Amino acid sequence: MANNPADHPPGNSVAEGNHEGDFGVSMVDLRTVMELRSTEAVNKIRDTYGDVQGICRRLKTSPIEGLSGNPVDLEKRHTAFGQNFIPPKKPKTFLQLVWEALQDVTLIILEIAAIISLGLSFYHPPGGDSEACGATSGGVEDEGEAQAGWIEGAAILFSVIIVVLVTAFNDWSKEKQFRGLQSRIEQEQKFTVIRKGQVIQIPVAEIVVGDIAQIKYGDLLPADGILIQGNDLKIDESSLTGESDQVRKSMEKDPMLLSGTHVMEGSGRMVVSAVGLNSQTGIIFTLLGASENDEEKKVKKTKTQDGIALEIQPLKSEEAAESEEKEEVKPVKKVNVTKKEKSVLQGKLTRLAVQIGKAGLIMSAVTVIILILYFVIDTFGVQGRQWLAECTPIYIQYFVKFFIIGVTVLVVAVPEGLPLAVTISLAYSVKKMMKDNNLVRHLDACETMGNATAICSDKTGTLTMNRMTVVQAYIGDTHYKTVPEPDAIKPDTLEIMVNSISINSAYTTKILPPEKEGGLPRHVGNKTECALLGLVLELKRDYQPIRDEVPEEKLYKVYTFNSSRKSMSTVLKNADGGFRMYSKGASEIILRKCSRILDAQGQPRVFKPKDRDEMVRKVIEPMACDGLRTICVAYRDFPAEAGEPDWDAENDILNELTCIAVVGIEDPVRPEVPEAISKCQRAGITVRMVTGDNINTARAIATKCGILLPGEDFLCLEGKEFNQQIRNDKGEVEQERLDKVWPKLRVLARSSPTDKHTLVKGIIDSTVGETRQVVAVTGDGTNDGPALKKADVGFAMGIAGTDVAKEASDIILTDDNFTSIVKAVMWGRNVYDSISKFLQFQLTVNVVAVIVAFTGACITQDSPLKAVQMLWVNLIMDTLASLALATEPPTESLLLRKPYGRNKPLISRTMMKNILGHAVYQLVIIFTLLFAGENFFDIDSGRNAPLHSPPSEHYTIVFNVFVMMQLFNEINARKIHGERNVFEGVYRNPIFCSVVLGTFALQIVIVQFGGKPFSCTALTIDQWLWCVFIGVGELLWGQLISAIPTHHLKFLKEAGHGITKEEIPEEELNEGTDEIDHAEMELRRGQILWFRGLNRIQTQMDVVYTFQTSQAAVPGALRRQPSVVSQHNDATAAKTLSSPTHIGLSSSSSLTNSGGALPPAAAASSSTAGN
């Protein structure tokens, strides 16, 4: 093997000037190799480079030692072959966000009204002031006041600008937060490479061409590479090719490994041959114009539900791939991809907002019509005036004023603060959840968690500490209750056991010295293997010398562990030409394959089925009942005379074993778990344990955790039994059978990943209870992917989890701890409550403001609250209140109630009682002040003031009282379940306090110094005290309302339900539809056509490009693979398209699988499938 040429001084390079000349192979050469598959690739490598070692030599890297890690060398590799980084799309600039915020319809109407009003105020027609125009121009004190007509228009424009800036800033900070989160997820992605002969983990972005990377089960490959050494390697390439079959990789047949694919089984080493934009995933992204230029055209598509463009970085194109694959296989199920699109809460909110908006629109239209009619009848009918040409501008000015009042009513009625409140609440929660070890990947997962009714948890690592140690052993006919002394075991037995454990385990698994003095040794790699290596160390032996003697290259054949085998075996070739195989695995499985066992003398004796049953009864079951996991270690010799066995006939190979020992491994329950589980049970959440362990171990641990309580008739099933109970004779899962099992099921042992998926799907689809179950699932293995994706919320383990599991999850538990899930439930419920609090506050203001503006306008021809004042109220209500109420920290008391369920209305009866109760108080006060306030305060009346008259004290007091009542009602709104103490825990929320005090201070400034723009005059201290006093009355009134028991108020309606099945037209209830949001449907019809058009063009361009570059060898790679964003939107669109477009696509999308490029028409139609 070549020595490490990377250590040579760069002077030896071929051509100094040309960067690529430093290496014996250029980027283009490598790229051509990487585009080939299987035998073609093998031949090309053989013809051009001799073998993979030849490529390593040219890349100046050693297959054993790896790169030197010298910064100069790494820098060179960056220049020659690029970096392992696919540049993300540029974030939206602040100005783009401002522009988006300006698209709001109500704001546009206001802007137009304000501009017309401005224009008219500057237009003074000759003779317009004559008496002929009636009272219109009366009441103007002097010229200066008349000139001030522009102020109102300007003030409205100014407040619109404020609202827009605030919205844009929120969007901007939200996107920034999201990107921060994204980059954090990416930085945490590390990969194992060999440098200077040391195995180290480096961030994915630092991988360079020529690195030797170690790959193992569960990895998501970060770059393209060529296999140098592999054991039983199987790769899932569906993310690139759409083929769901796993591809076997080997040096002889197919050594090409592609970035973005998943290792499903086995392990090995590869030399990295392409990174970043030059890797296969990178090439597809460049092809799809994920780089800047084309993206501009697609900007229209990237606005997802709540204004965040949910871009997940390209390397993460897993989701897109998954959904592509789902489309291929069963066109009908395609709707499932949309599951993550719209959460329950957003569905309810959109519906509620649309309902409120419609009501507001009607109110404002009626207001305008009444005002205009009244004015016209009064001026031209009652006073009998003529319409004179010179008076037209003055009349129009009146009409504009009425129009502005109407729009203002609309602005106040439409709760555009709702999406803002949701976003702030979610963003705040996500930020805080980071501290609680929850890294949220999909914002809405956090709120869904609050509704969770069931948690299916793994055992190992989540409920237990995942720090495995061997505590009992059965060796040489003796059952040791503690680890025996080395001299208690026969030397031969000890020798073979130590060898078996050291060689038959992943070489990446190690036990390292503790980081801190006196700490526990660090376990690296597979925890079960660590326990066995720990046993070797406890027997005063060392595994490292044995591994050095038999390096990985010398392993003849490795059967790696996977979920169906539940065992691992390694074959070595002996000097005499025979073979020895070491095996280990779950004890009941390996013991079934054993025909001999080593006795006390270390000699093999016959091991019959009855011996085995006795051993199970006397050794394995007692161990399992102590909550231990039992592992059997065995070996088998193949004599040289018999010739080489057929290694692919796995069942014959893994037979006739000789059992060496059975060990019991303890994985202690985390001390905080029992408490967390009892919290879940109090909160109405059922915790189920799904584990691959044996049923006795599982039952013991479940009892320790409190999942099984003594004296309750809960079910503990093994996977086999579970399947017998839920499947019919044909082996299909029947929902009715499943419904009989799951409500009582608490522990599912010896379960396969498919069992987990079946259980989760069964619980979610079940219609047994009154509400649909919301299921959270934890998973760490690659095989948990489907269950994590299917669940409403998938939790992946941050430490033990594989990349595939993290990819499929919604939340990553950075400490792998079950208690963090309970925290997530608390935050989820808190989000829901925060939004209800905000709604309760907002709707009270809405009801009052709309009624006041409406009746005031109809009776006095002028809204008591001016447009600018309304906008200020709107600002308090929307932006500031959502800040204050959406950032309430959660309390433990949230876990004392049952989950709300998916169909529970947002506004409960209690809340409706509060809203109407407070509205009554406020309306009574306002109308009293409006029609009798001048007598009470002894001031001039402000009613029926002419156009452009100066602001009156009377209306200022009305406005001030209104704001004071809102402020104090904001404190009332902190409690929504009818609690008495509204101040409870208020000091724990500094944001709330500062918002309330800040609003109060601003109100003083507006009233005292706001003057003409705010239509305010300064008030005296007495008047101020009265205003505050009336405001405080809100708190007392709140106590009175909460004293009325809600159950007497049967007439109160709830509002903001989720969509029920009955309301959805038949044809939309096709299989797999989750929530169809009708409010959204209206808005989406146009967008869908737009998407489809875009996608057709895009697909046709891709196809043409394919033909030009004639890369027919990789048809799969060129298929549309949009970034997650457009996938997201396409998916939503697919959801909202209820027309029969789903049908007939199966034929066209099956074309895609048949290899070869497609005719443009077929490509276009299959791409429409995505839309």
Side-chain angles (χ1 to χ4, degrees):
M1 212 130 290
N3 66 336
N4 189 347
D7 299 335
H8 292 329
N12 297 6
S13 60
V14 194
E16 293 290 314
N18 174 0
H19 274 308
E20 294 187 344
D22 293 359
F23 300 99
V25 57
S26 72
M27 190 160 79
V28 187
D29 300 341
L30 286 172
R31 200 157 151 175
T32 7
V33 175
M34 289 318 291
E35 276 162 6
L36 302 172
R37 295 286 171 276
S38 52
T39 39
E40 289 179 19
V42 178
N43 298 338
K44 168 83 176 169
I45 293 176
R46 198 182 51 234
D47 302 345
T48 321
Y49 306 102
D51 59 359
V52 184
Q53 311 296 349
I55 296 186
C56 291
R57 279 195 290 280
R58 294 192 182 202
L59 284 173
K60 304 190 177 178
T61 177
S62 144
I64 311 283
E65 296 278 313
L67 294 178
S68 63
N70 168 2
V72 183
D73 177 48
L74 294 180
E75 194 42 55
K76 265 211 192 129
R77 288 172 193 274
H78 280 157
T79 9
F81 302 107
Q83 298 193 337
N84 195 21
F85 172 67
I86 296 182
K89 228 187 80 224
K90 285 211 290 279
K92 289 197 178 125
T93 57
F94 188 67
L95 289 174
Q96 279 171 313
L97 292 169
V98 166
W99 177 243
E100 274 174 18
L102 277 170
Q103 311 295 312
D104 188 46
V105 185
T106 36
L107 288 179
I108 294 175
I109 299 176
L110 264 182
E111 288 155 24
I112 296 172
I115 291 168
I116 296 176
S117 155
L118 265 177
L120 287 173
S121 66
F122 288 125
Y123 174 56
H124 285 289
D129 295 338
S130 70
E131 271 306 304
C133 302
T136 44
S137 52
V140 176
E141 271 77 47
D142 56 53
E143 273 309 289
E145 280 296 346
Q147 300 305 318
W150 61 272
I151 292 181
E152 185 164 31
I156 292 177
L157 278 183
F158 181 70
S159 38
V160 165
I161 291 170
I162 297 277
V163 171
V164 165
L165 286 178
V166 168
T167 319
F169 178 74
N170 275 315
D171 280 350
W172 178 77
S173 58
K174 189 165 70 181
E175 192 149 314
K176 188 161 149 251
Q177 247 179 355
F178 189 74
R179 284 184 180 270
L181 187 75
Q182 207 41 55
S183 62
R184 182 170 159 184
I185 291 179
E186 304 221 312
Q187 282 155 10
E188 287 191 349
Q189 226 188 343
K190 287 196 161 56
F191 209 76
T192 316
V193 297
I194 301 176
R195 287 197 179 164
K196 276 203 207 139
Q198 294 290 317
V199 178
I200 56 169
Q201 288 217 321
I202 60 170
V204 167
E206 288 176 21
I207 293 177
V208 292
V209 170
D211 257 324
I212 305 293
Q214 284 201 341
I215 53 177
K216 59 179 190 313
Y217 157 83
D219 283 342
L220 175 68
L221 298 184
D224 291 356
I226 304 170
L227 193 63
I228 307 178
Q229 177 259 322
N231 308 319
D232 199 22
L233 200 58
K234 283 191 189 154
I235 305 268
D236 170 13
E237 292 190 347
S238 58
S239 56
L240 286 180
T241 59
E243 301 292 332
S244 51
D245 297 343
Q246 295 178 7
V247 187
R248 204 178 255 283
K249 298 285 180 184
S250 64
M251 305 279 295
E252 303 74 50
K253 303 235 173 61
D254 184 0
M256 305 320 246
L257 300 169
L258 307 177
S259 58
T261 58
H262 296 127
V263 184
M264 299 314 272
E265 280 189 28
S267 61
R269 292 208 310 266
M270 69 173 190
V271 56
V272 175
S273 59
V275 292
L277 288 170
N278 302 309
S279 66
Q280 291 301 304
T281 316
I283 292 171
I284 291 179
F285 273 92
T286 344
L287 178 78
L288 287 172
S291 39
E292 316 312 14
N293 19 11
D294 301 9
E295 212 42 50
E296 304 309 308
K297 299 172 196 159
K298 287 199 251 168
V299 159
K300 296 275 192 309
K301 294 167 101 177
T302 48
K303 191 105 169 59
T304 55
Q305 166 50 34
D306 44 17
I308 306 178
L310 283 174
E311 286 124 9
I312 290 186
Q313 298 285 281
L315 281 175
K316 298 261 187 306
S317 139
E318 154 76 349
E319 304 223 353
E322 291 267 316
S323 46
E324 285 272 348
E325 193 184 320
K326 281 184 193 157
E327 276 175 27
E328 308 276 306
V329 192
K330 350 185 189 19
V332 192
K333 292 296 273 185
K334 189 166 59 224
V335 191
N336 273 2
V337 189
T338 60
K339 183 199 82 178
K340 298 276 163 35
E341 172 64 21
K342 195 142 209 240
S343 66
V344 189
L345 183 62
Q346 281 168 339
K348 290 181 184 176
L349 281 174
T350 314
R351 269 192 89 178
L352 192 66
V354 169
Q355 288 165 351
I356 297 174
K358 282 182 185 156
L361 196 64
I362 295 167
M363 287 293 269
S364 64
V366 172
T367 313
V368 174
I369 294 167
I370 291 183
L371 282 170
I372 291 179
L373 283 178
Y374 189 99
F375 175 76
V376 171
I377 294 169
D378 185 57
T379 310
F380 303 117
V382 180
Q383 299 180 22
R385 298 182 184 283
Q386 298 296 309
W387 182 298
L388 300 171
E390 62 267 26
C391 296
T392 309
I394 292 180
Y395 293 148
I396 289 182
Q397 227 161 331
Y398 259 105
F399 290 149
V400 170
K401 180 179 160 189
F402 297 152
F403 180 63
I404 290 182
I405 290 172
V407 173
T408 324
V409 172
L410 180 64
V411 171
V412 175
V414 174
E416 64 270 31
L418 274 184
L420 191 67
V422 180
T423 311
I424 290 183
S425 183
L426 287 175
Y428 171 78
S429 304
V430 166
K431 210 168 176 171
K432 290 280 190 242
M433 280 167 83
M434 284 263 208
K435 293 199 177 74
D436 284 341
N437 303 312
N438 283 303
L439 188 109
V440 181
R441 290 183 67 230
H442 298 128
L443 273 185
D444 55 6
C446 143
E447 153 257 316
T448 314
M449 216 31 231
N451 284 330
T453 55
I455 298 176
C456 294
S457 171
D458 276 358
K459 174 180 76 74
T460 310
T462 317
L463 300 172
T464 59
M465 287 165 80
N466 202 8
R467 192 175 172 86
M468 313 254 191
T469 40
V470 173
V471 288
Q472 294 186 22
Y474 179 85
I475 307 171
D477 292 345
T478 324
H479 185 170
Y480 298 97
K481 293 286 190 188
T482 56
V483 176
E485 288 299 313
D487 40 16
I489 306 171
K490 277 271 178 280
D492 297 353
T493 310
L494 184 60
E495 186 60 32
I496 196 164
M497 182 163 97
V498 169
N499 278 344
S500 175
I501 290 174
S502 308
I503 292 171
N504 184 28
S505 57
Y507 279 26
T508 44
T509 305
K510 300 188 179 63
I511 295 187
L512 301 178
E515 282 175 343
K516 295 198 267 311
E517 276 293 301
L520 292 165
R522 280 181 301 157
H523 286 184
V524 181
N526 180 312
K527 302 294 191 241
T528 313
E529 290 181 352
C530 285
L532 293 169
L533 293 178
L535 173 67
V536 171
L537 298 176
E538 276 194 72
L539 293 169
K540 312 278 188 292
R541 302 294 290 270
D542 190 1
Y543 59 87
Q544 201 50 54
I546 301 174
R547 285 184 173 181
D548 295 342
E549 201 179 307
V550 187
E552 267 184 291
E553 289 72 45
K554 286 201 188 160
L555 304 180
Y556 192 78
K557 170 92 183 136
V558 179
Y559 297 96
T560 46
F561 180 89
N562 67 21
S563 53
S564 52
R565 268 188 207 131
K566 290 216 185 312
S567 68
M568 171 179 177
S569 312
T570 305
V571 181
L572 295 181
K573 190 164 186 176
N574 299 338
D576 64 355
F579 297 93
R580 168 167 281 191
M581 177 176 78
Y582 292 120
S583 294
K584 68 167 191 290
S587 52
E588 32 298 41
I589 291 172
I590 297 281
L591 283 175
R592 263 191 232 120
K593 311 275 172 81
C594 287
S595 56
R596 292 181 202 71
I597 184 164
L598 295 183
D599 62 14
Q601 268 52 57
Q603 297 306 313
R605 66 173 158 85
V606 179
F607 185 61
K608 297 202 187 74
K610 70 170 201 313
D611 301 335
R612 185 179 70 228
D613 298 340
E614 186 183 9
M615 182 150 167
V616 166
R617 209 173 54 250
K618 291 203 168 149
V619 179
I620 292 177
E621 282 183 359
M623 280 188 186
C625 293
D626 293 341
L628 304 185
R629 186 181 206 167
T630 53
I631 299 283
C632 176
V633 183
Y635 75 99
R636 176 182 180 183
D637 284 325
F638 298 94
E641 314 65 273
E644 182 161 350
D646 172 9
W647 298 116
D648 289 337
E650 226 176 282
N651 291 340
D652 303 342
I653 301 282
L654 213 71
N655 216 336
E656 302 288 320
L657 302 177
T658 306
C659 168
I660 306 170
V662 172
V663 294
I665 296 180
E666 181 183 44
D667 185 7
V669 171
R670 288 174 181 264
E672 63 276 23
V673 163
E675 165 65 10
I677 286 182
S678 70
K679 274 186 193 164
C680 282
Q681 288 160 343
R682 274 204 302 277
I685 301 170
T686 313
V687 183
R688 293 182 174 83
M689 181 163 103
V690 183
T691 174
D693 251 351
N694 119 6
I695 187 144
N696 296 323
T697 313
R699 195 184 279 124
I701 299 247
T703 315
K704 281 184 192 163
C705 293
I707 293 177
L708 292 176
L709 301 169
E712 307 234 4
D713 58 337
F714 290 140
L715 287 178
C716 288
L717 293 180
E718 280 200 351
K720 208 162 60 199
E721 202 182 334
F722 172 69
N723 279 312
Q724 283 163 0
Q725 294 197 15
I726 62 166
R727 291 177 191 274
N728 58 18
D729 313 334
K730 294 188 200 133
E732 295 158 351
V733 177
E734 284 190 2
Q735 188 66 44
E736 301 81 76
R737 292 175 177 229
L738 226 169
D739 287 345
K740 291 199 186 82
V741 177
W742 73 257
K744 284 246 154 88
L745 183 71
R746 287 296 177 274
V747 176
L748 184 57
R750 280 276 173 256
S751 70
S752 68
T754 16
D755 296 341
K756 193 172 188 175
H757 183 253
T758 311
L759 177 66
V760 172
K761 185 176 183 309
I763 297 180
I764 288 180
D765 295 346
S766 171
T767 46
V768 177
E770 55 275 15
T771 56
R772 148 155 143 55
Q773 296 272 320
V774 177
V775 184
V777 171
T778 67
D780 52 5
T782 304
N783 42 28
D784 292 328
L788 288 170
K789 258 195 157 24
K790 177 67 195 165
D792 295 287
V793 182
F795 285 93
M797 302 296 141
I799 304 167
T802 58
D803 295 343
V804 184
K806 291 181 187 171
E807 203 49 59
S809 69
D810 302 292
I811 298 179
I812 295 175
L813 294 178
T814 48
D815 63 346
D816 290 12
N817 193 339
F818 187 82
T819 43
S820 307
I821 301 179
V822 181
K823 297 241 178 65
V825 172
M826 212 154 85
W827 277 107
R829 293 187 170 192
N830 192 49
V831 168
Y832 209 93
D833 278 10
S834 299
I835 283 155
S836 297
K837 290 171 188 175
F838 173 69
L839 267 175
Q840 176 175 309
F841 173 68
Q842 166 116 34
L843 292 179
T844 314
V845 189
N846 271 3
V847 170
V848 176
V850 171
I851 293 179
V852 167
F854 175 71
T855 40
C858 299
I859 298 171
T860 67
Q861 275 80 77
D862 183 9
S863 165
L865 298 171
K866 300 290 177 287
V868 181
Q869 295 176 347
M870 286 281 209
L871 282 170
W872 163 236
V873 169
N874 214 16
L875 198 72
I876 304 180
M877 289 193 325
D878 286 349
T879 313
L880 299 173
S882 59
L883 249 180
L885 292 168
T887 53
E888 288 271 322
T891 56
E892 286 283 331
S893 61
L894 287 169
L895 293 175
L896 297 176
R897 61 170 174 75
K898 299 277 175 274
Y900 280 145
R902 293 177 81 86
N903 301 329
K904 174 165 187 315
L906 277 173
I907 300 171
S908 61
R909 274 224 175 92
T910 314
M911 286 167 62
M912 203 51 126
K913 174 184 77 175
N914 290 344
I915 292 172
L916 296 177
H918 287 294
V920 166
Y921 174 81
Q922 296 188 10
L923 286 171
V924 168
I925 296 279
I926 296 263
F927 283 131
T928 313
L929 285 177
L930 195 56
F931 296 111
E934 65 270 35
N935 312 330
F936 181 73
F937 281 109
D938 194 20
I939 45 178
D940 296 334
S941 166
R943 290 192 301 284
N944 297 331
L947 206 57
H948 302 324
S949 53
S952 63
E953 274 187 341
H954 182 192
Y955 273 17
T956 307
I957 289 178
V958 172
F959 165 60
N960 200 19
V961 164
F962 182 69
V963 173
M964 286 302 125
M965 290 196 296
Q966 300 326 326
L967 266 185
F968 284 100
N969 194 29
E970 198 166 330
I971 300 174
N972 275 331
R974 289 186 66 242
K975 297 287 178 242
I976 48 173
H977 298 298
E979 297 93 329
R980 283 301 181 81
N981 180 4
V982 289
F983 286 102
E984 183 192 358
V986 75
Y987 56 86
R988 280 187 30 236
N989 187 358
I991 302 183
F992 182 85
C993 303
S994 44
V995 165
V996 171
L997 296 173
T999 316
F1000 189 67
L1002 272 172
Q1003 179 64 14
I1004 296 179
V1005 173
I1006 288 175
V1007 171
Q1008 296 306 90
F1009 311 105
K1012 184 79 195 184
F1014 280 98
S1015 318
C1016 289
T1017 42
L1019 298 180
T1020 64
I1021 193 86
D1022 279 6
Q1023 290 164 333
W1024 262 104
L1025 286 173
W1026 271 110
C1027 293
V1028 174
F1029 172 70
I1030 295 172
V1032 174
E1034 265 289 341
L1035 292 174
L1036 305 171
W1037 183 252
Q1039 292 302 316
L1040 192 69
I1041 294 177
S1042 59
I1044 306 170
T1046 313
H1047 55 84
H1048 291 330
L1049 308 172
K1050 286 282 186 293
F1051 59 87
L1052 287 181
K1053 277 268 193 296
E1054 299 153 321
H1057 292 263
I1059 286 194
T1060 53
K1061 282 265 168 41
E1062 293 75 62
E1063 297 172 36
I1064 302 177
E1066 279 307 298
E1067 77 271 16
E1068 282 163 10
L1069 276 174
N1070 53 5
E1071 185 187 7
T1073 315
D1074 276 350
E1075 264 106 48
I1076 294 182
D1077 192 308
H1078 287 267
E1080 286 280 298
M1081 291 211 15
E1082 312 301 318
L1083 311 171
R1084 286 282 167 80
R1085 288 269 149 76
Q1087 275 172 305
I1088 294 161
L1089 297 168
W1090 166 225
F1091 289 163
R1092 287 162 95 186
L1094 259 179
N1095 275 22
R1096 284 217 167 130
I1097 295 166
Q1098 195 185 341
T1099 311
Q1100 282 168 353
M1101 280 164 59
D1102 286 355
V1103 172
V1104 172
Y1105 182 76
T1106 312
F1107 279 122
Q1108 283 171 351
T1109 49
S1110 70
Q1111 285 172 309
V1114 223
L1118 297 164
R1119 274 233 333 287
R1120 261 188 76 241
Q1121 180 166 9
S1123 60
V1124 177
V1125 190
S1126 55
Q1127 193 70 32
H1128 231 65
N1129 287 317
D1130 295 359
T1132 331
K1135 184 196 262 184
T1136 49
L1137 248 183
S1138 56
S1139 64
T1141 35
H1142 303 315
I1143 311 149
L1145 288 176
S1146 42
S1147 53
S1148 66
S1149 43
S1150 61
L1151 278 173
T1152 328
N1153 272 351
S1154 57
L1158 329 176
S1165 67
S1166 70
S1167 93
T1168 340
N1171 303 344

